[in-house]
Amino acid sequence: MSAAEGPLVVGVDTSTQSTKALVVDVATGRIVASGQAPHTVTTGAGRESDPRQWWDALLEALRQCGEPAREAAAVSVGGQQHGLVTLDAQGEPVRPALLWNDVRSAPQAHRLTEELGGAKGWAERTGSVPTASFTVTKWAWLAEHEPEAARATRAVRLPHDYLTERLTGQGTTDRGDASGTGWWSSGTEAYDEEILAHVGLDPALLPRLVRPGEVAGTVRDGHGLPFSKGTLVACGTGDNAAAALGLGVRPGVPVMSLGTSGTVYAVSRRRTADPTGTVAGFADARGDWLPLACTLNCTLAVDRVAALLHLDREAVEPGRGVTLLPYLDGERTPNLPGASGLLHGLRHDTTGGQLLQAAYDGAVHALLGALDLVLEEDADRSAPLLLIGGGARGTAWQETVRRLSGRPVQVPEAKELVALGAAAQAAGLLTGEDPAAVARRWNTAAGPVLEAVERDEETLARISGVLSDAAPLLDRDHGVRDG
């Protein structure tokens, strides 16, 4: 392997299931070293993780990177959004973090929406209508159900904030991740003190907002880190904003990410305020906006269906009569937090492969419906759809997206785009460049383009019809609103 041409940086992706670290050559974008370590998530009523596992996983991932990590001049962390991390006076977790896909706070989301101006008021104020995913609803749930934990809390952080603070010793966050909390105003780009007062959260417990391009701090001594004291630390950001940086996407380019959750988004110059709540008006990590829609059920839900059928995930078969809504964890888009999976149209001749294809169709249908709302009216609807995330390399996912979107689909060859985006952010600290321009210089979005095929309007209409007819059943919430 040839020597690096320029300084080295580290980009980190702390996701739901694992933490990954890349050492990247700033001059060329070449990945010099990488590492990855898992962490666990609880099952059952809630979805929780111990933040200390994220730190241990980061240390292990960096250890796997070896000597190149010791040469890094800057580091940045991209992380799963929305998670509620509560710390005590010593900086230790008061309790496990409540993750983005923990839907127990659905009743609090409903109440907060009604108590503070309704959906339209929230959208105008924060850019988004709160759902059970948003951090503000999780704090409200904690204050109601575990008041002792809320009283013991001396700092509130997001997942990427937690790791950044362990690196620097300072509590910081950025506009991209803060925009997913529900207590950050997209109009003023500051914490909303009325919302914080309403949920009983002292603003002094929140991290300092760091501007794009600003240094969040420097690496402090020890703690098992390979970095030299004084290594620059960027502000980091949420995973979707980091992936947008990693792709270097320009305004109007549609992105679909297929992971544990599914997301669709596009960079926009205009602040979004969707009163239906389908589109979250997030900020990006640069100074623009990242209107985004998210589903809770994507690759894991489809893989679960494949496992139940004892089929390989690629063992799909065409079929026109069966519909499967794979809402195994409740759903965010559409907003049905208490829903479960629903199967309709089962016949004697229905095959397992057709059921599996129906699961893919149900997952992609939700994302494509949201994409139409994410894109601005003047967007080029024939432009290639950038397909990223763990599912993007699966043939069944690619073909389902092509068939149901009617668009050409481009699959970037670069992997680990969240970590690459974080690396581009770190590189920008050293070079003074826009991190998205750094990623474009690295050519991270390059990849094959799959030609468009005729849009399968029949399947889209059938799924929409089943969803509409089953709405009363799906919205029964199975006790979620009373949780």
Side-chain angles (χ1 to χ4, degrees):
M1 183 177 290
S2 61
E5 296 181 22
L8 300 180
V9 292
V10 170
V12 176
D13 172 13
T14 181
S15 66
T16 314
Q17 306 289 335
S18 67
T19 293
K20 304 154 194 150
L22 303 180
V23 183
V24 182
D25 180 355
V26 172
T28 64
R30 183 169 63 88
I31 297 173
V32 177
S34 64
Q36 178 173 346
H39 23 85
T40 58
V41 179
T42 62
T43 58
R47 295 291 186 273
E48 301 181 355
S49 279
D50 184 346
R52 289 168 293 201
Q53 282 195 357
W54 308 337
W55 178 252
D56 291 341
L58 174 59
L59 293 179
E60 172 58 22
L62 290 170
R63 187 196 65 77
Q64 293 173 21
C65 290
E67 187 61 30
R70 300 182 183 279
E71 301 174 19
V75 59
S76 183
V77 179
Q80 55 176 309
Q81 291 183 254
H82 305 304
L84 176 67
V85 181
T86 51
L87 304 177
D88 62 20
Q90 287 73 46
E92 292 296 322
V94 172
R95 69 177 315 286
L98 298 170
L99 302 188
W100 59 274
N101 54 349
D102 189 317
V103 298
R104 287 177 291 178
S105 62
Q108 287 72 30
H110 179 74
R111 288 204 299 269
L112 287 174
T113 302
E114 294 302 312
E115 290 168 359
L116 284 175
K120 187 173 186 294
W122 273 89
E124 291 174 350
R125 189 172 196 157
T126 70
S128 306
V129 180
T131 67
S133 294
F134 281 66
T135 325
V136 68
T137 72
K138 299 180 187 305
W139 174 262
W141 181 91
L142 187 72
E144 181 177 336
H145 289 271
E146 299 180 14
E148 299 85 358
R151 285 193 293 268
T153 297
R154 294 294 177 268
V156 170
R157 302 290 184 261
L158 296 166
H160 108 260
D161 304 340
Y162 172 77
L163 291 181
T164 301
E165 186 167 1
R166 291 289 300 262
L167 290 169
T168 66
Q170 301 177 49
T172 59
T173 194
D174 88 303
R175 71 193 294 269
D177 218 0
S179 66
T181 60
W183 55 59
W184 182 85
S185 167
S186 61
T188 64
E189 300 212 20
Y191 294 132
D192 189 309
E193 294 192 3
E194 183 182 356
I195 291 175
L196 291 170
H198 190 79
V199 297
L201 180 54
D202 184 349
L205 304 187
L206 300 179
R208 177 176 67 90
L209 284 157
V210 176
R211 296 185 303 273
E214 182 184 347
V215 175
T218 57
V219 173
R220 54 183 175 172
D221 287 332
H223 303 283
L225 294 166
F227 308 122
S228 302
K229 181 183 179 182
T231 299
L232 297 179
V233 181
C235 57
T237 193
D239 52 4
N240 290 298
L245 278 186
L247 288 165
V249 291
R250 300 182 187 274
V253 175
V255 180
M256 178 182 290
S257 177
L258 304 172
T260 304
S261 64
T263 56
V264 287
Y265 56 84
V267 172
S268 174
R269 303 284 190 209
R270 298 195 288 266
R271 185 171 74 94
T272 301
D274 175 16
T276 72
T278 301
V279 178
F282 293 151
D284 77 349
R286 296 173 56 255
D288 288 327
W289 301 93
L290 197 71
L292 176 148
C294 176
T295 63
L296 295 184
N297 298 276
C298 195
T299 57
L300 285 185
V302 172
D303 285 351
R304 180 57 182 155
V305 172
L308 288 171
L309 296 169
H310 302 290
L311 293 175
D312 182 271
R313 66 182 59 160
E314 296 290 341
V316 295
E317 297 177 38
R320 296 282 181 175
V322 63
T323 300
L324 203 165
L325 304 179
Y327 303 161
L328 306 190
D329 284 323
E331 190 47 80
R332 172 171 165 178
T333 305
N335 186 22
L336 298 165
S340 56
L342 186 144
L343 176 63
H344 179 267
L346 191 64
R347 299 288 186 182
H348 280 288
D349 60 353
T350 302
T351 66
Q354 290 171 339
L355 284 178
L356 182 56
Q357 180 62 68
Y360 279 97
D361 290 349
V364 172
H365 172 271
L367 287 168
L368 290 175
L371 181 62
D372 289 337
L373 299 174
V374 164
L375 292 174
E376 296 174 356
E377 291 181 3
D378 55 355
D380 181 0
R381 304 281 164 161
S382 64
L385 174 60
L386 288 176
L387 196 64
I388 65 172
R393 297 176 190 280
T395 301
W397 280 111
Q398 292 175 1
E399 293 307 310
T400 302
V401 172
R402 288 178 73 203
R403 179 172 51 82
L404 295 185
S405 71
R407 283 178 174 271
V409 171
Q410 183 170 4
V411 184
E413 292 177 352
K415 299 178 181 179
E416 309 303 347
L417 285 162
V418 173
L420 274 175
Q425 196 180 54
L429 292 183
L430 303 178
T431 67
E433 293 175 273
D434 175 352
V438 172
R440 288 193 289 271
R441 178 163 60 77
W442 292 348
N443 203 24
T444 53
V449 177
L450 309 176
E451 293 183 2
V453 297
E454 183 178 358
R455 186 170 177 172
D456 185 353
E457 300 288 357
E458 179 184 341
T459 295
L460 291 169
R462 173 168 44 78
I463 297 172
S464 294
V466 171
L467 178 58
S468 177
D469 291 344
L473 179 64
L474 291 167
D475 200 28
R476 286 182 180 176
D477 281 353
H478 304 288
V480 169
R481 287 203 189 281
D482 300 319

